[in-house]
Amino acid sequence: MQQYKFNGDYDLRVIFNCVLSQKINILNADIIVPIPVSDHTMVTRGFNQTTGLIEGIQYEQLLKVSAGQKSHQSQFNRKIRMMRKQPFMLIEQMSLEGKEILLVDDVYTTGNTLYHVADLLYECGAKNVKSISLAR
């Protein structure tokens, strides 16, 4: 994961994609939503590691990281991660009334990222929000 995510070895996504795609295909979801990266991360890293993991799977880019969010979660300890405010927002206001949503993330550490996104999606009417991560 270090090689892929932080050292920029984007070709590794193909290996990870095989494993993750099989799992996603057996989960029932109306909408698959990858966790976004900040604009800062996109510029510095050059790719969103999560969307790379689900290439070839239909997903919706519903979210963006709020302006001003530059730090990677990996830079913070558990206590600081758990105290962070909502870092996500919808790209556009919409109703997700009654939808089953599957969140996809690369690494599950504290669950705080998924908690924030699920909270936002439930506010928009999602019926159920599940998640899958490649690693823990």
Side-chain angles (χ1 to χ4, degrees):
M1 188 55 74
Q2 173 77 28
Q3 185 68 24
Y4 171 63
K5 186 173 177 176
F6 298 111
N7 296 347
D9 195 348
Y10 193 62
D11 291 337
L12 287 173
R13 77 191 184 288
V14 176
I15 296 166
F16 296 138
N17 179 278
C18 291
V19 174
L20 203 53
S21 294
Q22 290 173 358
K23 300 293 182 189
I24 288 172
N25 286 333
I26 63 172
L27 297 171
N28 258 349
D30 298 317
I31 304 171
I32 297 170
V33 178
I35 300 298
V37 296
S38 69
D39 291 341
H40 175 76
T41 297
M42 196 63 173
V43 168
T44 57
R45 186 177 296 153
F47 63 95
N48 176 332
Q49 71 280 356
T50 304
T51 57
L53 295 174
I54 58 173
E55 259 183 6
I57 294 174
Q58 185 176 349
Y59 64 86
E60 300 290 328
Q61 195 65 58
L62 302 180
L63 308 165
K64 66 181 179 178
V65 178
S66 302
Q69 298 284 330
K70 292 183 182 177
S71 303
H72 301 287
Q73 282 270 73
S74 60
Q75 295 174 334
F76 302 113
N77 65 31
R78 178 176 175 76
K79 183 177 179 181
I80 292 172
R81 287 180 193 202
M82 299 307 285
M83 293 177 8
R84 291 184 82 191
K85 293 184 177 169
Q86 174 64 271
F88 302 102
M89 57 190 296
L90 291 174
I91 291 174
E92 60 184 60
Q93 290 300 321
M94 65 183 67
S95 171
L96 299 171
E97 198 66 41
K99 298 291 185 188
E100 298 271 343
I101 299 176
L102 177 64
L103 301 178
V104 181
D105 202 1
D106 59 338
V107 178
Y108 179 104
T109 307
T110 63
N112 205 39
T113 296
L114 298 171
Y115 167 79
H116 280 301
V117 173
D119 190 47
L120 180 62
L121 298 176
Y122 281 126
E123 286 176 12
C124 295
K127 176 181 176 184
N128 191 30
V129 179
K130 302 183 267 191
S131 69
I132 186 169
S133 300
L134 180 66
R136 178 160 180 166

